[in-house]
């Protein structure tokens, strides 16, 4: 055991060593942070989602208005700032598909548009199927379900919703007829959606109670009550109502089998049933940001290009027989992280997402063009906001 004098000397030596290692700095001597501007590392955390080799970080948005008040930065959402920064840029527009960028918007708003497109935009879809004869191997319920999922090319804004107490008429119902027979001795017959024939005058099936009660002079009562023909309307005179695609297989008939039915389409929303959803899919992703943290040349450049399955990287010739890797197609990055999965490569490549820049894709089923669907979604969101403001006031 050491004496008390020895222990005191050892404690004093340890204290002096710590003082030499950790130099004390007064709080008053620390450099001042620039007011009205965030340090680069905090600004990066605020505006980017960082993607490491294992998992992404900084995935949550900072919504508190006073989060950076000590640095003189106002983090509150202001209408003027949103109006100046928000942009919509069309990238690709096809008949049934639209890709565009939404810049300067919160993820909650982007998701609101997605949910409205899927569940709250109305379309016309077959709801009621009156089967007169079905000798195929497909059950009546399954056949009706398949018919309901066939997209109908018609503007739903031209029709009204039909409630339980409403009578089917030319303003709320579209009637189709399907009658196909496979004759004996012939090959199996495919029943396609093109066999659905539009009946602009309404139903042709007579109500069961009318067969015995109706007289020969009175007009028999059918399942609809049309006051006029739908093809007299100018919207349908040039473009008759029909399924969007004519080659959808409804059923297959063997020799001697027959299907005869009427299908009634009404207006509805996707939140009631998926058959009324106007989009095959509507989705978004944050804009990828791929950075090279140092120059990657020669063999390393070729190895990096081979790592990426989507060919995000490319090689450029910098002269004197040397090659250098470049980021050629950052937008194509899906964040598979193959380029940084190998040990040490996360020091060469940085993968990020811009958290207020969304790549939005809309795939229409064909009832309405995708650009019209997005416009209608904006109107619905606007109506919801006005409703909330009215209730609060």
């Amino acid at each position: 055991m050491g004496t008390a004098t020895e222990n005191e000397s050892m404690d004093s030596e340890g204290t002096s060593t710590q003082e030499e290692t950790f130099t004390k700095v007064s709080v008053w001597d620390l450099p001042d942070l620039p007011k009205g501007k965030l340090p680069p590392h905090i600004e990066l955390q605020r505006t980017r989602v960082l993607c490491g080799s294992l998992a992404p970080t900084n995935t949550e948005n900072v919504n508190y208005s006073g989060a950076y008040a000590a640095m003189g930065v106002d983090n509150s959402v202001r209408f003027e700032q949103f109006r100046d920064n928000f942009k919509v840029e069309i990238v690709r527009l096809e008949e049934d598909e639209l890709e565009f960028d939404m810049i300067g918007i919160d993820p909650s708003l982007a998701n609101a548009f997605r949910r409205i497109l899927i569940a709250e935009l109305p379309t016309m879809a077959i709801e009621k199927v009156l089967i007169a004869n079905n000798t195929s191997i497909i059950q009546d319920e399954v056949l009706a379900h398949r018919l309901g999922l066939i997209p109908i090319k018609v503007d739903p804004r031209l029709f009204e919703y039909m409630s339980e107490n409403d009578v089917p008429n030319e303003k709320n119902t579209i009637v189709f007829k399907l009658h196909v027979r496979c004759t004996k001795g012939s090959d199996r017959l495919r029943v396609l959606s093109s066999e659905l024939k539009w009946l602009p005058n309404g139903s042709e099936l007579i109500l069961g109670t009318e067969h015995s009660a109706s007289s020969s002079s009175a007009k028999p009562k059918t399942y609809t009550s049309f006051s006029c023909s739908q093809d007299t309307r100018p919207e349908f005179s040039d473009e008759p109502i029909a399924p969007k695609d004519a080659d959808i297989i409804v059923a297959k008939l063997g020799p001697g089998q027959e299907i005869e039915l009427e299908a009634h389409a009404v207006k509805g929303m996707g939140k009631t049933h998926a058959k009324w959803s106007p989009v095959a899919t509507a989705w978004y992703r944050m804009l990828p940001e791929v950075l090279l943290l140092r120059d990657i040349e020669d063999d390393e450049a070729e190895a990096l290009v081979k790592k990426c399955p989507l060919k995000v990287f490319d090689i450029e010739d910098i002269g004197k027989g040397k090659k250098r890797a470049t980021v050629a197609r950052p937008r194509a990055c899906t964040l598979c992280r193959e380029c940084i999965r190998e040990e040490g490569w996360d020091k060469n490549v940085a993968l990020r997402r811009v958290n207020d820049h969304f790549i939005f894709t809309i795939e229409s089923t064909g009832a309405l063009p995708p650009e019209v669907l997005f416009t209608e979604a904006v109107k619905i969101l606007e109506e919801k906001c006005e409703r909330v403001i009215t209730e609060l006031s």
Side-chain angles (χ1 to χ4, degrees):
M1 293 179 61
T3 61
T5 306
E6 291 176 350
N7 292 336
E8 289 176 0
S9 63
M10 292 175 64
D11 291 341
S12 61
E13 288 177 1
T15 304
S16 61
T17 304
Q18 292 178 1
E19 289 178 352
E20 293 175 358
T21 306
F22 304 103
T23 305
K24 293 182 178 180
V25 179
S26 173
V27 68
W28 304 108
D29 296 332
L30 292 174
D32 293 333
L33 290 174
K35 292 292 184 179
K37 185 178 180 182
L38 294 177
H41 66 285
I42 297 182
E43 180 67 20
L44 184 66
Q45 294 176 2
R46 189 180 71 87
T47 61
R48 299 292 188 272
V49 176
L50 307 181
C51 305
S53 58
L54 297 178
T57 57
N58 303 328
T59 57
E60 296 182 359
N61 283 3
V62 180
N63 296 320
Y64 174 48
S65 59
Y68 310 111
M71 304 175 191
V73 176
D74 184 9
N75 196 49
S76 59
V77 179
R78 298 183 179 274
F79 173 73
E80 295 79 9
Q81 183 180 5
F82 172 79
R83 180 189 59 194
D84 296 338
N85 295 336
F86 178 66
K87 291 187 294 184
V88 176
E89 297 179 354
I90 305 297
V91 177
R92 178 168 50 87
L93 176 59
E94 299 174 0
E95 181 183 1
D96 294 326
E97 190 170 348
L98 170 65
E99 181 181 330
F100 60 94
D101 288 3
M102 300 179 68
I103 306 170
I105 195 171
D106 191 82
S108 59
L109 285 175
N111 193 48
F113 285 123
R114 183 190 67 85
R115 293 175 63 90
I116 290 172
L117 285 165
I118 293 175
E120 298 187 43
L121 281 181
T123 60
M124 302 295 290
I126 294 173
E127 170 68 1
K128 183 185 293 185
V129 179
L130 307 175
I131 298 179
N133 187 18
N134 179 21
T135 57
S136 69
I137 61 173
I138 300 180
Q139 300 93 332
D140 293 352
E141 296 82 1
V142 177
L143 181 60
H145 187 266
R146 291 181 64 83
L147 290 170
L149 293 174
I150 296 176
I152 300 173
K153 188 173 179 59
V154 62
D155 192 342
R157 295 171 293 184
L158 302 175
F159 292 87
E160 301 173 355
Y161 289 100
M162 188 176 76
S163 64
E164 295 180 357
N165 300 324
D166 289 338
V167 177
N169 55 56
E170 71 279 2
K171 296 181 180 179
N172 58 26
T173 304
I174 302 173
V175 181
F176 294 96
K177 179 182 179 180
L178 189 149
H179 190 187
V180 182
R181 181 188 296 110
C182 182
T183 58
K184 293 183 179 180
S186 61
D187 296 332
R188 293 180 63 86
L189 178 66
R190 295 194 306 172
V191 181
L192 302 179
S193 55
S194 58
E195 298 292 339
L196 283 169
K197 306 302 181 182
W198 174 41
L199 300 178
N201 293 313
S203 175
E204 296 178 350
L205 293 179
I206 301 174
L207 283 171
T209 57
E210 295 291 317
H211 285 285
S212 57
S214 61
S215 62
S216 58
S217 59
K219 182 180 179 180
K221 190 175 182 181
T222 62
Y223 286 88
T224 59
S225 180
F226 280 29
S227 60
C228 64
S229 178
Q230 289 177 331
D231 57 5
T232 59
R233 300 176 63 175
E235 299 89 354
F236 307 136
S237 58
D238 297 332
E239 189 175 357
I241 301 174
K244 171 63 173 63
D245 300 298
D247 56 351
I248 300 175
I249 298 178
V250 177
K252 290 185 178 181
L253 300 181
Q257 294 180 347
E258 181 182 3
I259 294 178
E260 183 181 3
L261 57 84
E262 262 189 12
H264 295 193
V266 297
K267 188 175 181 178
M269 293 186 184
K271 60 184 178 182
T272 304
H273 193 283
K275 65 184 177 184
W276 279 299
S277 181
V279 295
T281 183
W283 59 283
Y284 62 85
R285 61 190 179 102
M286 287 184 284
L287 178 72
E289 191 177 71
V290 183
L291 300 177
L292 298 179
L293 303 180
R294 67 176 182 86
D295 288 341
I296 301 177
E297 300 177 352
D298 300 332
D299 293 341
E300 282 188 332
E302 294 181 357
L304 179 61
V305 171
K306 292 179 181 179
K307 286 177 182 291
C308 182
L310 294 175
K311 309 301 180 185
V312 172
F313 303 99
D314 203 349
I315 294 178
E316 66 174 359
D317 189 0
I318 58 176
K320 298 182 180 179
K322 289 190 175 183
K323 302 175 183 178
R324 182 171 60 191
T326 60
V327 182
R329 292 169 290 275
R331 191 183 181 90
C333 179
T334 59
L335 236 65
C336 65
R337 298 194 287 269
E338 287 296 328
C339 57
I340 60 173
R341 203 174 298 278
E342 191 176 339
E343 185 178 357
W345 275 95
D346 56 348
K347 302 294 190 298
N348 303 330
V349 182
L351 301 179
R352 303 169 184 169
R353 296 280 198 188
V354 183
N355 61 13
D356 66 343
H357 188 145
F358 296 93
I359 301 173
F360 214 106
T361 304
I362 300 174
E363 294 182 14
S364 172
T365 57
L368 288 174
E371 65 272 19
V372 176
L373 292 178
F374 180 69
T375 304
E376 293 298 312
V378 173
K379 293 178 182 178
I380 291 177
L381 184 59
E382 183 181 2
E383 291 174 0
K384 288 186 173 185
C385 295
E386 291 177 351
R387 195 180 310 129
V388 172
I389 293 173
T390 303
E391 292 178 355
L392 290 177
S393 59

